[in-house]
Amino acid sequence: MPDHDKEGLVSAWTFDGNGGARRIGWDEIAQGVPSGERFQWINLQLLEHRHGRSTWLDMHSGVDPSIVESLVAAETRPRCALFDNGAFLNLRGINLMPYSLPDEMHSIRFWVEPHRIVSVRRRALSAVGDFEDAIQRGRAPRTPGEFVADLSMRLVDRMDTVITALAEQADELEEQVLSATLSNLSPKVSEVRRVAIILRRYIAPQREALNHFSLEDAEWLSPRDRNRLREAADRVTRFAEELDSVRDRAAVIYDQMVERRAEQMNRSMLVLAAVTVIFAPLTLITGLMGMNVEGIPGAQDPNGFWAVTVLAAGLGVGLVAWLRMIRWL
C-alpha cells in the first residue's frame, strides 16, 4: 500500500480466540483472518490528508461507504447503530495522558464484524494504550464482544478517576466558600462548573450507546459481555448523576458567593452611611465656625477654639452612641 496509507495505521492485531494475540501488518490485513485465528483488530489514526479521508477505508476495507462516513466524521456524539453484518459504535474517553485537560473527551469509533474490528480515532487515548499493554501481557479478548466490553470498561474506569476528583474539588470549594477570598474562589467555581457541563454533554449519550450495543443479536456477544456492557452503562448513568450534582453544587456555591459579596457590600455601605451621619454635622459646625466673616461667636475669645473642639467631640461621641443604640454600628 502507499506510504500515506501506512501512516494511518496505529496498530493491528490478530486474536486466536483463546486469550492469545500477535501484531500484524498491512500484508496480513489484506489477506484477511487466517485459519486458526478468530478475529482481527485494525486500529487507525485519522489523518488530515485527502480532506480527512483514509484511502484504506474508502478503497480496501470493504466497509459500506455510509459507515465509513460515520467512522471519519469530524464531530459526533456517542451513539450506536446496528446493521445486518455488524455494528457501529462511537464512544468517548477521558484522556489521562500528560498535558491533557480533565474535560478533554476524545472520540473513538468502532465498526464491529464477527471476524474484524476496525477502530478510528483522531487522538491517542490512555485507555486504548492500556488495553494494548494488556494484550501484550497475554490478556487478550477471545471474541469481538469481549473486546468491546473490556475496552468500554477501561474507558469508564478513566471517567471514574476524573469525576471523583471533580466531586472532591467541589467538596473543598464548599468548605472554603465562607472563608476564602472571593476573588480567588470565583475562577475555581467557574472551572468546576464548566468541566462538569462539558463532561455531562458526552457521558449521557454514552449510556444509551452502550445499552443499545448490548442488544446486538450476534453469536459473538455472549451473556457475560452483555452484562458487562450494561454494567458500564450503569456506571455511566451514575457518573451523569454525579456530574449533575457537581454542577448544581457549583451553582449553590456561586449563589453563596453572591450572597457573601452582597453582605460585604451592605456592610461597607452601612459603615459609610454611619461615617456620613457622624461627620456631616461636625463638618457643618466647623464650616460655619471657620467662615472668614465678622460676628463669629468666640472669635475674640482665647478659649474659643477649645470650646468648639470639645463641642464637636461631644457631638461625635453622642452620635456614635446613638448609632450603636439603633444597631448601625
Side-chain angles (χ1 to χ4, degrees):
M1 286 192 179
D3 291 339
H4 63 261
D5 289 334
K6 294 181 180 179
E7 292 174 355
L9 180 65
V10 178
S11 61
W13 297 82
T14 182
F15 301 86
D16 60 13
N18 296 314
R22 61 182 179 86
R23 285 184 180 271
I24 59 175
W26 280 115
D27 293 337
E28 291 180 90
I29 292 174
Q31 295 173 6
V33 181
S35 59
E37 302 289 343
R38 180 67 182 273
F39 67 98
Q40 291 180 347
W41 173 33
I42 305 166
N43 186 21
L44 301 176
Q45 178 89 24
L46 188 62
L47 303 177
E48 298 302 327
H49 59 74
R50 295 178 179 266
H51 306 289
R53 300 302 299 271
S54 169
T55 303
W56 182 82
L57 280 173
D58 286 329
M59 302 179 60
H60 304 287
S61 66
V63 179
D64 187 89
S66 63
I67 299 172
V68 173
E69 290 288 343
S70 299
L71 288 172
V72 301
E75 284 294 335
T76 56
R77 300 180 72 190
R79 68 184 183 93
C80 176
L82 306 181
F83 299 87
D84 292 338
N85 58 335
F88 170 78
L89 182 63
N90 181 10
L91 299 177
R92 281 187 177 258
I94 295 177
N95 216 350
L96 297 183
M97 290 185 172
Y99 308 108
S100 295
L101 298 176
D103 58 329
E104 286 184 345
M105 294 198 71
H106 300 314
S107 173
I108 181 167
R109 303 91 183 267
F110 299 94
W111 170 244
V112 186
E113 298 173 339
H115 301 290
R116 183 179 63 170
I117 298 174
V118 179
S119 64
V120 178
R121 73 187 194 193
R122 289 184 177 273
R123 297 177 180 85
L125 278 169
S126 55
V128 178
D130 292 346
F131 182 60
E132 291 198 79
D133 289 341
I135 293 175
Q136 290 178 334
R137 295 194 303 267
R139 299 174 57 187
R142 290 163 292 186
T143 65
E146 186 177 345
F147 176 99
V148 176
D150 192 0
L151 188 52
S152 298
M153 292 297 292
R154 291 179 182 273
L155 291 173
V156 169
D157 288 339
R158 298 312 185 276
M159 295 180 191
D160 196 353
T161 302
V162 173
I163 293 172
T164 300
L166 194 66
E168 292 176 352
Q169 190 174 357
D171 293 339
E172 294 176 359
L173 292 175
E174 286 180 334
E175 295 177 359
Q176 298 173 6
V177 69
L178 298 178
S179 59
T181 304
L182 294 180
S183 59
N184 296 333
L185 199 61
S186 181
K188 297 178 182 179
V189 175
S190 299
E191 179 65 13
V192 168
R193 182 176 173 84
R194 184 187 69 84
V195 172
I197 290 174
I198 293 176
L199 294 180
R200 177 65 169 77
R201 174 187 175 191
Y202 292 111
I203 283 180
Q206 189 140 313
R207 170 190 56 198
E208 300 301 327
L210 292 172
N211 277 328
H212 195 187
F213 189 86
S214 68
L215 300 177
E216 166 74 0
D217 186 14
E219 61 180 9
W220 44 264
L221 196 60
S222 67
R224 180 176 180 271
D225 298 333
R226 297 179 195 276
N227 290 335
R228 294 183 69 196
L229 287 168
R230 294 191 186 100
E231 180 185 352
D234 290 341
R235 292 181 65 186
V236 171
T237 301
R238 181 174 63 82
F239 295 156
E241 294 172 351
E242 184 69 25
L243 288 172
D244 287 337
S245 174
V246 170
R247 182 187 58 189
D248 294 340
R249 289 165 63 190
V252 171
I253 294 172
Y254 182 79
D255 291 341
Q256 290 178 325
M257 291 170 55
V258 171
E259 293 176 1
R260 184 180 166 193
R261 184 175 287 111
E263 182 180 351
Q264 291 177 347
M265 184 67 70
N266 291 337
R267 188 174 303 168
S268 299
M269 294 299 296
L270 187 61
V271 172
L272 181 61
V275 170
T276 302
V277 169
I278 294 172
F279 283 96
L282 301 180
T283 302
L284 176 62
I285 293 174
T286 56
L288 288 174
M289 301 301 293
M291 291 189 299
N292 191 19
V293 296
E294 295 292 337
I296 298 297
Q300 305 301 322
D301 188 350
N303 297 320
F305 170 77
W306 297 109
V308 173
T309 301
V310 172
L311 175 64
L315 180 60
V317 171
L319 289 172
V320 170
W322 176 66
L323 291 176
R324 286 185 177 275
M325 184 178 64
I326 63 174
R327 296 185 178 179
W328 267 38
L329 292 177

